[in-house]
Amino acid sequence: MLKMMTFFQGLPGQHTASGGPDLPGSSQKLPSTSEVESEASMSEASSEDLVPPLEAAGAPDRDKEEALKKKKKKKSKGLASVLSVFTKGRKKKGQPGSAEPEGDPGAQPEPSGPLPTAEELKAELERGRLEAARPLLALERELAAAAAAGGESAEELVRRQSKVEALYVLLREQVLGVLRRPLDVAPERLRQALQVLAEQEREDRRAAAAAAGAGAPGGSALVAARPRRWLQLWRRAVAQAAQERLGARPAADAEGRSEAERAFLHMGRTMKEDLEAVVERLKPLFPADLDVVAAYAESYHEHFAAQLAAVAQFELCERDTYMLLLWVQNLYPNDIINSPKLAGDLQRVQLGSLLPPRQIRLLEATFLSNEVASVKELMTRALELESQRWARDVAPQRLDSHYHSELAIDIIQIISQGQAKAESITLDLGVQIKNVLLLELAAFLRSYQRAFDEFLERCKQLRNYRANVMANINNCLSFRTAMEQKWQILQDLPGHLMGPLSDLKSHGFDTLLQSLFGDLKPLFKRFTQTRWAAPAQTLGDIISTVGERLPEFSELHDCFQKELMEVVHLHLVKEYIIRLSKRSLVLKVVEQQRQLAEHILANAEVIQRFCTQNGSSATWLHHALPTLAEIIRLQDPSAIKIEVATYATRYPDFSKGHLNAILAIKGNLSSNEVKSIRSILDVSEGMQQSSKPLFSLIKVG
């Protein structure tokens, strides 16, 4: 970052910006003649290098004396002609002027009457009279004609050309001075400067055509002064203005932006404001063939791109990498190029991207790596802080009468901000990072589940133990909702995301229900201890015990209270089947078997009604006990086989061992009949696996 700061401090033209959003160069000093001359590109060498300035090109003393005498007596006819040339074609006061002459712009009328002297034109140019451009052009053509005629000496031709070229230096300074500060001058003066520029470009083309038609150059004493290329000089001035405007050091702000952020914000804002001024105020005044919008836009774009390319060479911090991509991929194309005031003109110019595609891809790869590492670090830190609160026995918050933890909100925010950051660059980058961040989320959820399991094991004696367990179970809802809605993952969530949450919830339920199930165990034992003498009374005590304990789980979200009730429902059915499978009851009398079947049916109805009323939606358990009751009631082996086959279809984990335990109750079956009934499971066993275990939770001897 130190290198970055040194780079920005060393930018050319770095100074405190003092101007507003005026057009570039509107408050800049006019370069000296020598500066302008150094920029000019003549065909072989600049005319200033080949001829002396006007003052150094001395005319004969006799000429000077005669000129002074005439000035003392009265205004000469020549000067009157000069003034008439300057005012020729101008409208009277109150009449609209025109920046372009009427008729064919390529054939300007020659001034009538004698041409003004070089000294007279110099005086007019020093007063800023751009009207002197046309007689100066006529003077240049007269000189060329004289050289072609061959009537004058080489020395005289060189003397006259020296004066003409010195006058062109003055005219060039005046014209380019106006064009460097186009918003600081009156529109009419700007039109005059543009007309002179257009005239000079036409004369460059005329001279080039004449030279091409003449073939090889002859032995003229005149130095080739054309093409003057003033249009190129203007474009260079525009480029220099763009460099000075964009290169100005931005003022420090109180928002904590980095050096790079301030620099690019300054360049972006300046470019947008300046180009809007060009479109609104200069475009109507400039001729279409100059394409003033393209000239400024291309110069600003080139300087902006050069600055970004230079910055991209440094080893950027995460913040500056993001800022660079944000400008290249979003702010520059959308907020500047496609802004409402500029879009129509700049889309036609087709400026392109600020950085080449390969460099953008490298920066995007760096950004993705940085952002994923940052997200991972933030999630790890959030889990550490949450685990510390559990260990310190800090009670969880309550939100809408439910225990609440901020962990899920923090993690969702971290993931969402990482994705939003990438999407602020491009939507495609947002898609790329989403897939990576979801993998990191899956890894975090596994870490979260391990930390929660460790808490369940080590912190059982803490006062807020159960409250924190419920708060973490409630977190699962926030994670699941975010995955389904915010991150638009399908309802059938991938196992690598839902697996850790399912395990966390399951382990939490087991912990919360451990005490209740412990209290129910001796009550279920009563079924076998009393040899099913009073099953209704025993089940009533079981249901009462469960009902009394259910309020303990009210701080869970409603959906988790229902899921917990399904766990209780499964436990009641499972424990009931375990008691039936103890082989402690053998009934050889058919009537006894029918009575037991009726008790089982009645008990099944009580269990189903109680669990359903309290939120259980485990309808898959509804046939578990009634079908066993039917198997016990039936006496025909063939009918029993049909029930067993149907039962095995509904509960694929129903095995021969479980069937043996139930058939053991029917003491009037022969061994052959039992063997025949068991054989039905040879066909159905292993045909399908149960997604919801029941009998696999029941061990039989």
Side-chain angles (χ1 to χ4, degrees):
M1 192 61 199
L2 182 59
K3 291 182 180 179
M4 283 278 293
M5 294 176 65
T6 305
F7 167 77
F8 283 112
Q9 292 168 1
L11 284 177
Q14 291 278 340
H15 58 274
T16 303
S18 58
D22 291 339
L23 188 69
S26 62
S27 60
Q28 297 166 2
K29 183 180 179 182
L30 179 66
S32 64
T33 302
S34 62
E35 289 173 330
V36 176
E37 291 172 2
S38 66
E39 294 179 351
S41 174
M42 299 301 181
S43 58
E44 293 183 2
S46 67
S47 56
E48 292 80 18
D49 294 335
L50 298 173
V51 296
L54 182 63
E55 292 78 8
D61 294 340
R62 183 181 57 191
D63 294 343
K64 290 183 179 179
E65 291 175 0
E66 290 177 1
L68 289 173
K69 288 178 182 179
K70 290 180 179 179
K71 289 180 181 178
K72 288 178 180 179
K73 290 180 181 180
K74 60 180 180 178
K75 180 185 293 185
S76 67
K77 292 183 178 181
L79 185 57
S81 299
V82 170
L83 294 176
S84 67
V85 168
F86 287 162
T87 58
K88 187 176 181 64
R90 294 175 62 188
K91 303 293 183 181
K92 292 182 180 180
K93 189 174 182 181
Q95 293 180 340
S98 173
E100 294 291 342
E102 295 180 0
D104 182 8
Q108 298 294 342
E110 295 287 345
S112 61
L115 292 175
T117 66
E119 286 75 11
E120 290 168 337
L121 288 177
K122 177 177 181 292
E124 293 301 311
L125 288 173
E126 287 177 342
R127 287 196 293 270
R129 301 287 298 276
L130 297 181
E131 295 91 337
R134 190 167 296 169
L136 176 56
L137 178 58
L139 202 62
E140 180 186 9
R141 289 179 177 177
E142 182 186 66
L143 176 62
E152 297 187 26
S153 66
E155 181 180 351
E156 177 62 17
L157 292 173
V158 169
R159 183 184 67 81
R160 290 176 63 184
Q161 188 180 29
S162 299
K163 293 183 178 182
V164 169
E165 294 307 314
L167 291 173
Y168 266 117
V169 170
L170 293 177
L171 178 61
R172 187 179 64 195
E173 288 183 354
Q174 291 289 338
V175 171
L176 293 182
V178 170
L179 296 181
R180 285 191 186 95
R181 302 184 302 275
L183 295 182
D184 288 352
V185 298
E188 183 59 32
R189 183 162 178 79
L190 177 58
R191 288 191 183 96
Q192 286 180 329
L194 291 170
Q195 180 180 340
V196 174
L197 181 64
E199 287 176 346
Q200 291 300 314
E201 283 299 302
R202 286 194 295 269
E203 189 65 14
D204 278 352
R205 291 192 294 271
R206 189 194 67 77
S220 174
L222 297 181
V223 176
R226 295 282 176 180
R228 300 187 185 277
R229 299 188 175 94
W230 284 13
L231 182 59
Q232 290 185 15
L233 295 180
W234 170 66
R235 293 188 184 279
R236 290 180 190 174
V238 171
Q240 182 181 2
Q243 179 179 348
E244 292 173 357
R245 287 284 291 167
L246 298 186
R249 180 182 293 278
D253 57 32
E255 298 183 25
R257 296 188 179 97
S258 69
E259 188 84 10
E261 286 174 319
R262 292 200 306 274
F264 290 118
L265 179 61
H266 160 73
M267 288 193 291
R269 182 179 294 161
T270 302
M271 179 175 179
K272 184 177 182 181
E273 292 173 352
D274 289 358
L275 292 184
E276 286 176 351
V278 170
V279 170
E280 293 172 359
R281 301 173 62 183
L282 295 187
K283 183 182 176 183
L285 300 177
F286 273 66
D289 59 337
L290 286 186
D291 202 350
V292 64
V293 176
Y296 276 94
E298 288 168 356
S299 295
Y300 275 65
H301 174 83
E302 288 174 6
H303 184 77
F304 207 148
Q307 297 307 301
L308 261 71
V311 171
Q313 301 304 315
F314 291 94
E315 185 175 344
L316 302 176
C317 65
E318 295 179 16
R319 183 171 173 177
D320 287 342
T321 300
Y322 167 69
M323 175 274 305
L324 194 58
L325 282 172
L326 185 65
W327 272 102
V328 172
Q329 298 286 72
N330 184 352
L331 298 181
Y332 185 79
N334 295 323
D335 291 4
I336 297 179
I337 303 301
N338 289 314
S339 63
K341 293 182 180 180
L342 301 177
D345 292 281
L346 297 189
Q347 287 175 358
R348 171 183 56 81
V349 179
Q350 295 183 343
L351 297 175
S353 176
L354 289 172
L355 288 177
R358 181 177 179 276
Q359 196 164 24
I360 292 175
R361 288 194 298 270
L362 290 174
L363 287 170
E364 287 179 343
T366 302
F367 165 78
L368 289 174
S369 177
N370 290 342
E371 195 61 29
V372 170
S374 175
V375 166
K376 186 175 181 179
E377 181 181 351
L378 290 172
M379 290 194 299
T380 299
R381 181 59 180 156
L383 181 56
E384 288 176 355
L385 293 174
E386 185 70 10
S387 300
Q388 290 171 9
R389 282 192 286 270
W390 302 339
R392 293 198 310 268
D393 200 24
V394 177
Q397 304 175 33
R398 286 178 179 267
L399 184 65
D400 297 331
S401 301
H402 303 302
Y403 285 128
H404 172 73
S405 168
E406 292 290 325
L407 178 63
I409 295 175
D410 292 342
I411 298 303
I412 293 168
Q413 228 171 29
I414 291 169
I415 296 284
S416 299
Q417 287 173 354
Q419 184 178 349
K421 202 171 178 182
E423 288 176 343
S424 70
I425 298 173
T426 64
L427 293 178
D428 180 64
L429 200 61
V431 172
Q432 291 183 49
I433 202 171
K434 174 184 174 181
N435 297 327
V436 180
L437 291 181
L438 289 178
L439 291 176
E440 290 299 328
L441 175 60
F444 165 80
L445 293 176
R446 289 192 295 271
S447 298
Y448 177 29
Q449 185 229 317
R450 288 193 296 268
F452 182 67
D453 286 347
E454 189 173 327
F455 163 70
L456 293 180
E457 184 65 27
R458 295 185 177 182
C459 301
K460 295 179 180 180
Q461 305 305 318
L462 296 179
R463 183 179 60 180
N464 293 303
Y465 176 71
R466 290 175 63 85
N468 276 313
V469 170
M470 283 187 270
N472 280 282
I473 293 174
N474 287 338
N475 270 340
C476 296
L477 178 62
S478 300
F479 280 119
R480 188 168 64 196
T481 302
M483 291 177 201
E484 292 174 349
Q485 298 178 5
K486 194 174 188 65
W487 299 319
Q488 298 179 348
I489 304 176
L490 298 176
Q491 295 287 336
D492 186 12
L493 291 169
H496 68 285
L497 288 172
M498 282 308 298
L501 291 178
S502 297
D503 290 343
L504 185 149
K505 179 182 64 177
S506 176
H507 297 172
F509 284 166
D510 290 344
T511 298
L512 295 177
L513 293 171
Q514 187 175 14
S515 175
L516 171 61
F517 290 170
D519 292 345
L520 295 180
K521 192 171 184 178
L523 296 178
F524 274 106
K525 283 184 177 180
R526 250 194 248 166
F527 283 117
T528 52
Q529 289 172 349
T530 61
R531 296 178 62 81
W532 298 86
Q537 178 62 40
T538 301
L539 184 62
D541 293 342
I542 292 172
I543 296 300
S544 296
T545 301
V546 173
E548 291 171 1
R549 299 288 296 274
L550 287 181
E552 296 178 8
F553 313 112
S554 61
E555 285 83 3
L556 288 171
H557 283 305
D558 293 347
C559 62
F560 293 129
Q561 290 185 48
K562 294 177 180 178
E563 289 186 41
L564 182 133
M565 196 61 220
E566 290 183 18
V567 176
V568 172
H569 192 171
L570 172 61
H571 182 79
L572 296 180
V573 172
K574 180 195 71 173
E575 288 297 318
Y576 197 98
I577 294 173
I578 288 174
R579 293 302 132 187
L580 283 176
S581 304
K582 285 298 183 179
R583 299 178 185 267
S584 59
L585 183 65
V586 178
L587 304 176
K588 295 184 178 182
V589 179
V590 173
E591 185 58 32
Q592 290 176 329
Q593 294 176 17
R594 288 177 179 171
Q595 289 179 0
L596 177 60
E598 290 175 0
H599 287 313
I600 295 173
L601 283 173
N603 291 163
E605 175 62 25
V606 171
I607 292 174
Q608 179 180 328
R609 184 172 59 252
F610 171 78
C611 293
T612 301
Q613 289 174 350
N614 284 280
S616 172
S617 58
T619 56
W620 64 281
L621 290 172
H622 291 178
H623 296 280
L625 294 178
T627 303
L628 291 180
E630 186 66 8
I631 291 173
I632 293 172
R633 185 186 68 80
L634 290 173
Q635 301 301 313
D636 181 11
S638 297
I640 295 174
K641 288 171 69 175
I642 293 173
E643 287 296 326
V644 170
T646 303
Y647 198 64
T649 301
R650 288 196 177 108
Y651 305 101
D653 55 350
F654 182 62
S655 66
K656 290 182 179 181
H658 298 108
L659 178 57
N660 285 338
I662 298 300
L663 293 180
I665 299 174
K666 298 176 69 67
N668 59 343
L669 288 176
S670 67
S671 59
N672 287 335
E673 289 174 330
V674 170
K675 187 176 180 180
S676 176
I677 295 171
R678 286 182 55 195
S679 66
I680 195 63
L681 294 181
D682 293 336
V683 178
S684 60
E685 196 169 42
M687 291 181 61
Q688 53 182 315
Q689 295 182 349
S690 175
S691 59
K692 296 180 179 180
L694 172 58
F695 285 93
S696 58
L697 303 176
I698 301 172
K699 295 180 180 180
V700 290

